[in-house]
Amino acid sequence: MIDSDTLLYEVALTLFPNIGPQMTRQLMSYGGSARNVLHLPPGRLRKVPGVGPATVAILTGADRTAALNQAESILRKAEKEEVRVLFYTSKQYPARLKQIPDAPALLYYQGTADLNQPKIVALVGTRKATDYGREQTERLVQGMVQHRPLVVSGLAYGIDIAAHRAALQEGLETVGVMATGLDIIYPPAHRKTAEKMRTQGGLLTEFPFGTQPDKYNFPMRNRIIAGLADGTVVVEAAKKGGALITADLAMGYDRDVLAVPGPLGSAASEGCHELIKANKAALYSEPQDLEQQLNWDSALQFSGKHKSPTMYDAADFTPVEFSIIEVLQATKEAHIDNLAWKTQLPMHQVASLLLGLEFKNVVKALPGKRFTLL
């Protein structure tokens, strides 16, 4: 039996036709909870901006009962398969992903990795990887082992699967973002790797059980890869393809993008060369390039043998100042967007508070709009 119907209504809200993530958030902002939304009378629903007669009919008619029944079936299967169902209001929902405007309202996750760990990097590339591309992927993963990042990719042929396998080989956690339901591994040839990832990383999707690998699902999957990571590295990419879509999405989300140059004349690396020439991606040639771009070099000062940041007393600060300090004490460093989200303060107020804390020699600004405690 389901202990609480909160998640039941949240899942149901994501199953209605023509109600996407943005409309889901709009409805939640007016209703306060998914349960309230699905009990709003037609007159109240019509007052929600963007909600027309068709949406009102969907939310109050037979579709409502069907969605709740389907949601109950999904939750029972999720419980049986040890799948975590994460609505966007959940504390376990990836904080980085929540920052993008088109983030999924609901995620299905099966695995052991923390989706909010300090360092996450996406590795993507062509499905038609060359020996050079696979070799560079392995070298790239080996070069960041000391940072223990979570490695994210799309479980596809080529560079994606090479990245997952290299991470597993090096003892790193790796998450595959899928364009199908969690019960359908695509391509099937990667099933054994996917099984290993469930215990050393995980599998993640926005699609409910039973969803087949429809071609329209893959671009949607790419936005999750880009939004989940601090930065995206394109290892090999032709002039057109999913890897370049992921890179464009990452840039649009104000995330770092790097590209690995290939041999001159190699069609498999033309996309990477274009990204570098157009200044859309930083050049990756050695581990230090990634460390500097993502500010991982300074992050090392907080690990292992080094001293932890100073612990501050709440009595010495205003409540809003200390809310920022608490986030930085927990995360060691954070992007200003993440600080605004975690403190639930307006961006302009966070920027002003950070400036004040810098003057007090409490906070230090790092490259890329990141901040840390002194």
Side-chain angles (χ1 to χ4, degrees), residues 90-166:
S90 166
K91 290 183 179 179
Q92 294 182 329
Y93 188 99
R96 294 171 179 84
L97 191 59
K98 193 178 292 191
Q99 295 167 7
I100 72 173
D102 53 349
L106 191 76
L107 293 170
Y108 300 91
Y109 178 52
Q110 189 176 45
T112 58
D114 177 6
L115 299 177
N116 284 306
Q117 58 183 273
K119 300 175 184 178
I120 303 180
V121 62
L123 302 184
V124 298
T126 178
R127 284 173 166 79
K128 299 178 180 179
T130 66
D131 289 342
Y132 170 84
R134 285 185 286 269
E135 179 183 325
Q136 293 305 316
T137 302
E138 292 171 2
R139 287 183 63 247
L140 202 159
V141 171
Q142 290 166 359
M144 58 185 178
V145 166
Q146 63 172 325
H147 296 278
R148 313 305 300 173
L150 175 63
V151 177
V152 175
S153 198
L155 204 66
Y157 286 114
I159 297 301
D160 285 19
I161 196 65
H164 291 309
R165 288 171 176 164

Side-chain angles (χ1 to χ4, degrees), residues 351-370:
S352 176
L353 289 167
L354 286 168
L355 184 61
L357 290 171
E358 280 190 79
F359 286 141
K360 293 179 180 180
N361 292 319
V362 174
V363 163
K364 176 184 176 183
L366 302 172
K369 298 181 181 179
R370 291 180 174 273

Side-chain angles (χ1 to χ4, degrees), residues 70-307:
Q70 186 183 353
E72 184 166 8
S73 176
I74 286 172
L75 288 177
R76 291 186 186 281
K77 185 173 178 63
E79 184 177 14
K80 180 181 178 182
E81 302 294 332
E82 297 184 342
V83 169
R84 277 180 271 172
V85 182
L86 308 176
F87 197 56
Y88 77 96
T89 55
S90 166
K91 290 183 179 179
Q92 294 182 329
Y93 188 99
R96 294 171 179 84
L97 191 59
K98 193 178 292 191
Q99 295 167 7
I100 72 173
D102 53 349
L106 191 76
L107 293 170
Y108 300 91
Y109 178 52
Q110 189 176 45
T112 58
D114 177 6
L115 299 177
N116 284 306
Q117 58 183 273
K119 300 175 184 178
I120 303 180
V121 62
L123 302 184
V124 298
T126 178
R127 284 173 166 79
K128 299 178 180 179
T130 66
D131 289 342
Y132 170 84
R134 285 185 286 269
E135 179 183 325
Q136 293 305 316
T137 302
E138 292 171 2
R139 287 183 63 247
L140 202 159
V141 171
Q142 290 166 359
M144 58 185 178
V145 166
Q146 63 172 325
H147 296 278
R148 313 305 300 173
L150 175 63
V151 177
V152 175
S153 198
L155 204 66
Y157 286 114
I159 297 301
D160 285 19
I161 196 65
H164 291 309
R165 288 171 176 164
L168 292 172
Q169 178 66 32
E170 297 299 329
L172 298 180
E173 292 182 312
T174 181
V175 166
V177 183
M178 300 166 60
T180 62
L182 285 179
D183 53 341
I184 298 175
I185 301 300
Y186 182 84
H190 297 163
R191 185 175 303 277
K192 184 177 289 188
T193 301
E195 290 295 331
K196 176 64 175 173
M197 289 166 64
R198 284 189 174 104
T199 60
Q200 191 179 318
L203 301 175
L204 182 71
T205 185
E206 67 179 304
F207 301 106
F209 296 110
T211 303
Q212 298 293 324
D214 186 283
K215 65 179 180 180
Y216 299 107
N217 294 351
F218 289 90
M220 295 174 67
R221 180 273 310 271
N222 291 345
R223 85 188 193 288
I224 298 178
I225 295 174
L228 195 61
D230 299 306
T232 295
V233 185
V234 185
V235 180
E236 272 191 323
K239 282 191 173 181
K240 294 182 179 180
L244 296 186
I245 293 174
T246 307
D248 283 337
L249 288 165
M251 284 183 285
Y253 300 149
D254 196 26
R255 306 295 166 85
D256 290 302
V257 178
L258 298 94
V260 176
L264 294 178
S266 171
S269 291
E270 287 181 346
C272 291
H273 295 159
E274 289 295 328
L275 286 172
I276 295 168
K277 284 196 295 182
N279 290 321
K280 292 183 175 180
L283 183 147
Y284 177 93
S285 62
E286 59 182 2
Q288 287 76 15
D289 296 328
L290 185 65
E291 292 170 350
Q292 291 173 9
Q293 196 72 21
L294 300 185
N295 202 42
W296 282 2
D297 48 347
S298 63
L300 279 175
Q301 66 182 296
F302 298 124
S303 65
K305 305 173 184 177
H306 294 82
K307 185 181 177 181

